[in-house]
């Protein structure tokens, strides 16, 4: 707290799209969500998340150092927020976030070297094997386990429908029908528990996987899918999808994608363990989508998804 | 005739883990058949509709609203459940102080300004930040209770070396329990105060021993957790040695108890040497370790947590009360074994406490002869806790596993631990009863029996109430033992008799 009674937080990193937005023109908005590790602001119609640095870079994010607990700062939903290139101010909470020293971080997906089909197949199988025992019982954890061929019979209808939607999406993409693919995938938007529903996490992973492996029509597919997110999911879910539509992802997603496509498999197990630990099911949901994305053009995946969907329906 | 009810919380974001916790509690309430807590996105509303939970739902809800929908047997139960949800949501909000509310420090330095006499910091940040915070606390002159896990061995070495240099205790990392000057930290039970000081590298082991000391009429001066790796070669037992020295100097402690898995050989030598010369009687329970080396230095070996508690109470000058003397289990064992079918001698242990699971394994080892080896599962292990709370907090995974046991024809005996105390689920036994009942019913439908054997680790003044928890289990048909070791032995005896019947012996 400074001499004037204002609490000051120092941002250490800021995503390039948010820096660009705040630098262009001063904005105002309000607080729309508060969690222990982050606070969500709606600034000029766009979600901006101020979060603890430990969450890593977020495409819509500003990271502050230390272990600030945001739900202990007297911040409430609806409070006025003012922002510009130098600071964010919440006058009614006497809170100021200094942005001047924050380093810019780009959420744009880097151009990874893409392994050939055989290597990707092997990596896909290994990742599934490593992730299956860690998969949560909620969200799309059961779908991931079914893909690893461990418990296909236990898939609930929601998981089976997701498998069917992903199988259809892949089939459309294979035929070059990108728009139809986006419509099929959009059935998963907003589906499942949490402030970022499982379906959104899965789709963000899918878009990252497709784009990172430079699959045909990936960028257009991302754009069309993201366009359908508005109003169909929570604000954080929508924000993640809108950024993914521009091939912007969280640092964690980018890191996991890199671990999957990297030269060796040394860091893969650790990366999967870490990813599977995010939230109640967010990491597992994202990883499921990511794996489907990187293997989308490999024939065994589509047939596995169709089989899972059919078996669940039959059961 | 069931009823469907919903309540909408406008613009309400809650973490998934919190929603899971609330859903778990609501599903346990009387008369609730199904409950869902979701953000009101179109996709989730479609799922609610498919589940028959959207009937009559306010049509103005949007993706940023949270909906609680449930089906109950009758309206009063539905209304009560919705009231409970509202109360839980409100309780969570109440933890968020508003304008003018009490200042809550967000850094250690701020906390020290607020509370200049504080001499202990409880740190529960993610592992990556824990070391820095713990070092800060040590340098501010505080002892550290480090609940955080995922702290590297190198960091642990640095922290404990710093602690020793500054004359401060570093309890942890991954330290689940401690009782310091009567104040419980982490998961801990409400035990009587007295002259017995404990040091443990085992969370639920420490809880079990302190509870049994209480049950036997003794009392606890300090219970100091040191983290599960403290007696590994690399750490060298740094904090067990420091804590032992503290207790040796503590005028309020007359008997010392050490609890751990068997230490590394060099660490064992150092600990035994310090214990032998500390000037107070020392009871040592190195689960599965060699008792002779302990006796050789004049200390008192204990094979189980119960033995450790009993010995310590006796050494403190209190005659252990008759609480531990259970009735002859013979008739109950024979009756339980008779109810099992041929070939149904398998034991499955579904544990919430890792040390309790370890003790059960050890007790059952070598006891079973012809019976199949037991399957003892620690559901608090990392493998089971990714993406969900620990089973001492959230009983759902264990309930699922218990229900599965009823379908397995090879299993005759289900072994459970119930851990009470601060931090644990408010009704851990009650939360498992529906699953226990379902498993027994499934076995019965299949023409089999299923013996459920349990022990409750707790005290009468724990918030959950020891007797209340025990009564719930007895009502569900469980056989109860006074300690975890006894429960394991009881399960082993039933398995032995069932196996003998199966082999025609």
């Amino acid at each position: 707290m400074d001499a004037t009674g204002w609490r000051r937080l120092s941002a250490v990193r800021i995503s390039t799209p948010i820096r660009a937005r705040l630098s262009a023109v001063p904005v105002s908005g309000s607080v729309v969500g508060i969690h222990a590790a982050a606070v969500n602001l709606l600034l000029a119609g766009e979600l901006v998340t101020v979060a603890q640095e430990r969450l890593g870079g977020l495409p819509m994010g500003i990271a502050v150092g230390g272990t600030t607990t945001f739900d202990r700062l007297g911040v409430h939903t609806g409070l006025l927020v003012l922002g510009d290139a130098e600071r964010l101010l919440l006058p009614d909470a006497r809170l100021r976030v200094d942005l001047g020293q924050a380093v810019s971080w780009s959420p744009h997906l880097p151009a990874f070297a893409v392994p050939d089909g055989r290597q990707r197949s092997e990596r896909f199988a290994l990742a599934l094997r490593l992730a299956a025992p860690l998969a949560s019982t909620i969200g799309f954890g059961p779908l991931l386990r079914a893909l690893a061929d461990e418990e296909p019979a236990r898939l609930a209808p929601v998981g089976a429908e997701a498998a069917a939607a992903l199988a259809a999406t892949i089939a459309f993409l294979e035929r070059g029908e990108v728009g139809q693919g986006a419509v099929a995938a959009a059935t998963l938007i907003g589906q499942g528990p949490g402030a970022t529903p499982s379906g959104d996490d899965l789709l963000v992973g899918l878009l990252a996987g497709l784009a990172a492996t430079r699959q045909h029509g990936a960028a257009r597919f991302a754009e069309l899918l993201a366009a359908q997110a508005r109003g169909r999911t929570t604000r954080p879910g929508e924000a993640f999808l809108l950024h993914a539509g521009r091939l912007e992802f969280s640092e964690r997603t980018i890191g996991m994608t890199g671990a999957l496509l990297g030269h060796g498999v040394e860091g893969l197990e650790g990366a999967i363990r870490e990813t599977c630990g995010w939230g109640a099911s967010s990491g597992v949901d994202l990883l499921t989508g990511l794996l489907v994305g990187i293997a989308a053009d490999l024939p065994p995946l589509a047939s596995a998804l169709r089989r899972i969907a059919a078996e669940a329906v039959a059961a | 005739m069931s009823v469907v009810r919903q309540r909408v919380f406008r613009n309400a974001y809650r973490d998934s883990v919190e929603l899971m916790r609330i859903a778990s509690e609501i599903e346990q309430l009387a008369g609730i058949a199904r409950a869902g807590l979701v953000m009101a996105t179109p996709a989730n509303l479609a799922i609610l509709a498919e589940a028959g939970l959207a009937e009559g739902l306010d049509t103005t809800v949007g993706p940023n609203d949270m909906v609680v929908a449930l089906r109950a047997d009758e309206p009063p139960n539905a209304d009560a459940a919705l009231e409970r949800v509202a109360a839980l949501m409100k309780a969570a909000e109440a933890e968020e102080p508003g304008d003018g509310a009490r200042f809550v420090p967000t850094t250690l330095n701020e906390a020290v300004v607020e509370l200049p006499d504080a001499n202990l910091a409880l740190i529960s940040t993610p592992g990556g930040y824990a070391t820095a915070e713990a070092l800060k606390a040590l340098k501010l002159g505080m002892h550290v209770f480090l609940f955080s896990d995922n702290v590297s061995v190198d960091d642990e070495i640095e922290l404990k070396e710093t602690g020793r240099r500054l004359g401060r205790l570093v309890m942890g990392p991954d330290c689940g329990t401690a009782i310091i000057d009567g104040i419980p930290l982490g998961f801990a039970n409400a035990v009587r105060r007295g002259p017995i000081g404990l040091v443990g590298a085992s969370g639920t082991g420490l809880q079990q021993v302190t509870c049994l000391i209480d049950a036997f009429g003794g009392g606890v001066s300090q219970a100091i957790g040191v983290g599960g790796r403290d007696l590994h070669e690399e750490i060298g037992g740094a904090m067990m040695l420091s804590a032992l020295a503290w207790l040796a100097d503590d005028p309020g402690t007359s008997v010392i108890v050490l609890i751990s898995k068997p230490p590394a050989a060099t660490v064992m030598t150092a600990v035994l040497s310090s214990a032998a010369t500390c000037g107070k009687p020392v009871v040592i329970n190195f689960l599965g370790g060699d008792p002779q080396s302990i006796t050789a230095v004049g200390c008192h070996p204990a094979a189980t947590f119960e033995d450790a508690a009993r010995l310590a109470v006796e050494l403190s000058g209190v005659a252990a009360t008759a609480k531990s003397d259970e009735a002859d289990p013979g008739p109950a064992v024979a009756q339980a074994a008779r109810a099992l079918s041929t070939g149904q001698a398998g034991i499955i242990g579904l544990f919430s406490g890792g040390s309790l699971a370890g003790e059960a394994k050890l007790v059952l080892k070598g006891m079973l002869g012809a019976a199949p080896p037991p399957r003892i599962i620690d559901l608090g292990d990392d493998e089971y806790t990714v993406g969900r709370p620990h089973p001492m907090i959230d009983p759902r995974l264990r309930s699922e596993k218990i229900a599965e046991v009823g379908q397995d024809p090879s299993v005759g005996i289900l072994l459970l631990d119930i851990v009470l105390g601060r931090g644990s689920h408010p009704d851990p036994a009650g939360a498992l009863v529906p699953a226990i009942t379902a498993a027994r019913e499934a076995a019965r439908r299949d023409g089999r029996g299923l013996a459920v054997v349990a022990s409750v680790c707790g005290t009468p003044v724990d918030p959950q109430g020891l007797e209340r928890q025990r009564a719930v289990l007895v009502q569900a048909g469980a056989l109860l033992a006074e300690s975890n070791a006894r429960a394991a032995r009881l399960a082993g005896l039933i398995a032995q008799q069932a196996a003998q019947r199966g082999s025609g012996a």
Side-chain angles (χ1 to χ4, degrees):
Chain A
M1 209 168 286
D2 67 14
T4 59
W6 279 67
R7 181 182 294 278
R8 297 178 77 135
L9 302 176
S10 291
V12 291
R13 285 210 292 177
I14 183 167
S15 79
T16 46
I18 299 304
R19 172 150 271 167
R21 165 63 67 101
L22 292 173
S23 300
V25 58
V27 291
S28 65
S30 61
V31 176
V32 292
I34 306 152
H35 303 266
V39 59
N40 286 320
L41 316 172
L42 197 62
L43 293 176
E46 186 169 350
L47 195 84
V48 174
T49 299
V50 182
Q52 290 177 3
E53 192 185 7
R54 68 178 176 87
L55 297 189
L58 298 173
M60 65 293 208
I62 294 169
V64 295
T67 51
T68 301
T69 311
F70 291 96
D71 56 0
R72 295 283 186 272
L73 296 178
V75 176
H76 298 287
T77 53
L79 284 187
L80 173 72
V81 184
L82 304 168
D84 62 23
E86 291 300 315
R87 67 196 71 83
L88 292 176
L89 298 176
L90 284 77
D92 297 327
R94 300 182 78 72
L95 178 67
R96 168 191 173 118
V97 182
D98 290 318
L99 307 178
Q101 301 300 313
V103 174
S104 293
W105 167 79
S106 170
H108 205 80
L109 196 69
F112 293 107
V114 184
D116 64 25
R118 185 184 56 79
Q119 284 173 321
R120 264 190 296 137
S121 249
E122 287 170 1
R123 207 61 69 84
F124 175 74
L126 173 63
L128 279 178
R129 202 166 62 242
L130 292 170
L134 303 173
S136 43
T137 52
I138 59 169
F140 292 115
L143 172 59
L144 187 144
R145 284 207 295 267
L147 279 170
D149 205 17
E150 284 194 4
E151 297 180 67
R154 291 185 60 199
L155 213 55
V158 170
E161 284 165 18
L166 288 170
T169 302
I170 290 171
F172 282 123
L173 292 179
E174 203 172 55
R175 294 200 296 268
E177 296 172 38
V178 175
Q180 288 297 317
V183 170
T187 57
L188 297 171
I189 293 174
Q191 192 181 96
T196 52
S198 295
D200 301 353
D201 288 321
L202 182 134
L203 290 173
V204 167
L206 176 71
L207 294 180
L210 291 169
T213 49
R214 293 197 271 287
Q215 306 220 8
H216 183 66
R220 179 68 183 142
F221 172 70
E223 200 181 318
L224 292 173
L225 179 59
Q228 298 182 66
R230 284 203 189 274
R232 289 176 69 167
T233 186
T234 62
R235 285 194 188 96
E238 182 183 295
F240 275 114
L241 280 167
L242 291 176
H243 281 280
R246 302 194 285 264
L247 305 186
E248 293 164 358
F249 298 93
S250 72
E251 189 176 17
R252 288 169 158 186
T253 305
I254 293 170
M256 185 65 243
T257 309
L260 275 169
L261 299 178
H263 286 302
V265 293
E266 298 77 28
L268 187 58
E269 186 171 1
I272 285 175
R273 184 168 285 279
E274 195 182 318
T275 301
C276 289
W278 303 341
S281 69
S282 283
V284 172
D285 297 331
L286 185 129
L287 182 60
T288 306
L290 186 53
L291 289 170
V292 170
I294 67 158
D297 58 343
L298 305 174
L301 175 65
S303 60
L305 286 167
R306 282 194 297 271
R307 176 178 56 78
I308 290 165
E311 278 176 7
V313 169
Chain B
M1 182 68 182
S2 64
V3 292
V4 172
R5 292 273 195 282
Q6 305 96 6
R7 185 165 294 181
V8 176
F9 296 85
R10 299 282 176 186
N11 272 314
Y13 287 104
R14 287 289 182 272
D15 290 333
S16 304
V17 174
E18 194 182 327
L19 290 181
M20 282 162 63
R21 191 165 52 83
I22 296 175
S24 162
E25 180 166 341
I26 298 310
E27 281 170 359
Q28 307 295 328
L29 294 178
I32 302 302
R34 195 155 186 195
L37 278 79
V38 292
M39 301 305 291
T41 64
N44 285 339
L45 293 178
I47 291 169
L48 286 183
E50 216 166 278
L53 293 174
E55 187 187 320
L57 178 64
D58 181 348
T59 52
T60 64
V61 293
N64 296 297
D65 301 326
M66 200 184 89
V67 175
V68 181
L70 51 87
R71 182 183 295 120
D73 54 357
E74 48 190 35
N77 282 337
D79 294 340
L82 288 177
E83 285 310 312
R84 184 67 191 143
V85 174
L88 289 169
M89 298 278 286
K90 202 167 178 183
E93 276 169 16
E95 289 169 10
E96 299 168 11
D99 293 338
R102 187 171 66 85
F103 168 66
V104 178
T106 55
T107 67
L108 269 172
N109 286 322
E110 285 180 3
V112 169
V113 171
E114 278 285 293
L115 203 60
D117 296 332
N119 68 350
L120 189 148
L122 190 157
I123 294 171
S124 179
T125 63
Y129 292 91
T131 305
E133 294 302 316
L135 281 171
K136 236 183 271 174
L138 288 170
K139 286 171 185 168
L140 287 166
M142 290 188 256
H143 300 286
V144 170
F145 179 88
L146 192 49
F147 195 75
S148 311
D149 57 4
N150 293 317
V151 172
S152 71
V153 171
D154 287 344
D155 283 0
E156 184 171 349
I157 292 169
E158 184 188 354
L159 284 173
K160 289 187 169 172
E161 273 177 5
T162 308
R164 287 188 75 169
R165 203 173 58 247
L166 298 173
R168 293 290 175 266
L169 292 174
V170 178
M171 294 173 265
D174 203 9
C175 186
T177 185
I179 303 171
I180 305 297
D181 291 340
I183 298 169
L185 302 171
F187 295 102
N189 302 89
V191 297
R192 192 182 299 113
R193 297 214 65 195
I196 302 172
L198 302 95
V199 188
S202 137
T204 46
L206 207 49
Q207 283 188 267
Q208 171 81 114
V209 179
T210 53
C211 287
L212 289 172
I213 286 172
D214 185 278
F216 296 158
V220 171
S221 57
Q222 313 285 351
I224 302 170
V226 294
R229 287 190 308 224
D230 190 70
L231 278 80
H232 288 195
E233 183 89 49
E234 311 89 305
I235 315 292
M239 277 305 127
M240 183 165 274
L241 292 169
S242 289
L244 181 56
W246 275 77
L247 292 179
D249 289 342
D250 175 22
T253 299
S254 63
V255 177
I256 297 171
V257 181
L258 306 181
I259 305 166
S260 171
K261 287 180 185 155
T266 51
V267 180
M268 178 87 154
T269 307
V271 171
L272 289 182
S273 157
S274 293
T277 56
C278 78
K280 292 181 181 176
V282 180
V283 176
I284 299 182
N285 169 243
F286 287 154
L287 216 51
D290 168 30
Q292 282 177 351
S293 55
I294 296 169
T295 313
V297 298
C299 294
H300 304 266
T304 63
F305 297 137
E306 181 182 339
D307 291 347
R310 183 188 304 285
L311 260 170
V313 170
E314 285 171 1
L315 287 165
S316 73
V318 176
T321 58
K323 180 87 178 168
S324 63
D325 299 326
E326 288 174 66
D328 172 17
V333 168
Q335 192 186 357
R338 269 198 306 276
L340 303 179
S341 305
T342 306
Q344 225 199 326
I347 298 175
I348 184 156
L350 297 175
F351 280 79
S352 60
S355 303
L356 297 177
E359 185 189 44
K361 257 186 218 169
L362 201 70
V363 169
L364 288 167
K365 191 178 166 190
M367 190 183 169
L368 295 178
R375 276 183 283 158
I376 304 294
I377 301 170
D378 168 17
L379 292 169
D381 194 69
D382 288 351
E383 180 185 347
Y384 298 100
T385 53
V386 173
R388 59 170 83 85
H390 192 279
M392 275 162 60
I393 302 170
D394 182 349
R396 281 185 298 171
L397 177 65
R398 189 149 67 149
S399 292
E400 283 171 24
K401 299 273 181 202
I402 290 172
E404 285 169 17
V405 167
Q407 312 288 339
D408 184 343
S410 70
V411 175
I413 304 116
L414 169 63
L415 179 59
L416 300 170
D417 65 336
I418 309 292
V419 183
L420 315 184
R422 282 171 58 113
S424 288
H425 188 276
D427 180 17
L432 297 182
V433 164
I436 292 172
T437 307
R440 285 168 63 90
E441 181 56 24
R444 193 193 59 76
R445 276 199 307 273
D446 227 14
R448 292 178 280 112
L450 178 64
V452 179
V453 181
S455 68
V456 182
C457 173
T459 72
V461 282
D462 274 333
Q464 300 89 348
L466 179 63
E467 291 313 318
R468 197 166 60 243
Q469 292 293 307
R470 290 171 59 89
V472 163
L473 290 165
V474 169
Q475 215 164 9
L479 291 171
L480 282 192
E482 293 287 344
S483 72
N484 181 60
R486 283 176 187 243
R489 218 171 282 133
L490 194 55
L493 289 170
I494 297 170
Q496 277 178 347
Q497 289 209 9
Q500 280 163 8
R501 285 181 53 236
S503 65

